[in-house]
Amino acid sequence: MTRKRDPKAKFSCPYCRSSDTVWRGYRYNEKTKKRMRLCNSCGRKFTPDSMFFRMRFHPDEIKRALELRKKGFSLAEARLRLQREGVRVSRWTISLWEKRYGKKFSQK
Ligand SMILES: [Zn+2]
């Protein structure tokens, strides 16, 4: 089964993953202004270009990836398993999670 990448996914809500979002106003920085999108499902606002990549994955998915790694799966194997569970993630991302969240999730 191959799933085509939804072109609208880029604009889907990083909080609830709804794709029901609309352009709504701007967020101003010192030098730049960024367009904001409003999520019609949960009512939160986000800037697609900055938050999308950071908030794309659910903590449970990150936890699951780290669990697989702890069980001894290689990055490639862990990636494949996640893919079967419907989580599209790169090996690079998994290794990033390990660096960033590895300690946090191993403390129990
Ligand atoms: Zn939302």
Side-chain angles (χ1 to χ4, degrees):
M1 189 183 93
T2 53
R3 272 190 298 173
K4 273 193 180 167
R5 197 174 175 79
D6 181 3
K8 279 185 182 171
K10 194 176 159 195
F11 298 128
S12 62
C13 175
Y15 302 104
C16 72
R17 293 180 163 208
S18 168
S19 56
D20 184 16
T21 63
V22 290
W23 289 115
R24 182 63 51 86
Y26 295 90
R27 171 183 283 166
Y28 293 92
N29 275 344
E30 289 147 32
K31 283 175 187 167
T32 58
K33 68 174 184 181
K34 284 179 174 176
R35 296 182 79 184
M36 304 277 298
R37 281 185 85 85
L38 174 73
C39 174
N40 284 323
S41 296
C42 70
R44 282 187 269 204
K45 283 182 179 177
F46 61 97
T47 49
D49 46 349
S50 61
M51 293 196 67
F52 173 68
F53 292 104
R54 239 180 289 152
M55 303 283 293
R56 213 169 128 205
F57 294 97
H58 195 271
D60 283 349
E61 291 168 357
I62 297 171
K63 206 174 168 183
R64 176 81 181 124
L66 295 177
E67 267 171 20
L68 290 170
R69 290 288 289 148
K70 262 204 286 181
K71 282 179 188 168
F73 289 98
S74 71
L75 285 173
E77 286 166 342
R79 177 180 169 272
L80 209 68
R81 288 232 163 190
L82 287 166
Q83 208 170 39
R84 283 198 205 118
E85 290 166 22
V87 183
R88 290 173 65 106
V89 63
S90 69
R91 279 184 287 173
W92 182 82
T93 305
I94 296 175
S95 71
L96 195 77
W97 288 346
E98 274 186 350
K99 282 183 205 142
R100 201 177 289 172
Y101 308 109
K103 273 185 189 165
K104 188 176 151 194
F105 282 118
S106 61
Q107 284 167 357
K108 273 187 180 173

